[in-house]
Amino acid sequence: PGTVGTAFADQASRLSLSRGQGLIAEVLSCGAPVQRAISDLIDHSPSPFAQLTWEAGYRSVLVCPIHAANQVLGVAVFLSRGEKVDDQDLRHSCAAIGQQFAIFIERRRAEEALTRLALGHIGAVVTDMRLPKADGLSLVRLCQQQDAHLPVVMITGHDDIDLAVESMRAGAYDF
């Protein structure tokens, strides 16, 4: 907390981490939250980050994946001065926070895409019928309102003739 936390954040931001190694790489690979004691990290897979966290007084770390669209976009790292390392409730809570991060990222990506669409910087749109917090049919309609000549292709894993007809009527180029 306070100046210790600020100094830690400053030092941590200057670290260069090896790609594909360590706890973050493990979470990116397995896609599940991982909680460890910092002392275990120092003993079994030493890294500048583990050493820095130990020196700053942190004793455990929880790394949660940020999932969106069936992929891991990144991770959220939570440090604790406590030594408890097997806290299932904490892992679930942090995973929920990671899901909120993902919703924010997806919403931001959608806003950026709509801005590019409005500016005419998109040459074609390929969308799934099922989208987080929306549906592809609404996107087809929005795209057609912005640019009636923009090719929009709707994809889905469901065999639904009515949906195909409705999509084509809404302006989808293909289904």
Side-chain angles (χ1 to χ4, degrees), residues 7 12-15 19 41 45 57 65-66 75 80 97 131 144 149:
S13 69
R14 286 189 254 137
L15 286 178
R19 209 171 164 81
L41 295 178
S45 56
I66 299 172
V75 297
S80 172
I97 292 169
L131 301 172
Q144 291 304 299
H149 301 291

Side-chain angles (χ1 to χ4, degrees), residues 113-175:
L114 292 174
T115 299
R116 288 194 310 271
L117 176 64
L119 295 172
H121 295 166
I122 294 181
V125 173
V126 178
T127 183
D128 195 339
M129 177 55 199
R130 306 219 189 311
L131 301 172
K133 308 289 183 192
D135 66 87
L137 199 52
S138 297
L139 181 59
V140 169
R141 290 185 180 115
L142 179 65
C143 289
Q144 291 304 299
Q145 288 171 358
Q146 295 287 330
D147 181 352
H149 301 291
L150 180 69
V152 180
V153 177
M154 171 82 75
I155 60 172
T156 184
H158 303 278
D159 188 14
D160 187 336
I161 299 298
D162 293 335
L163 178 59
V165 170
E166 188 175 358
S167 298
M168 298 298 281
R169 285 184 180 154
Y173 177 78
D174 200 355
F175 183 90

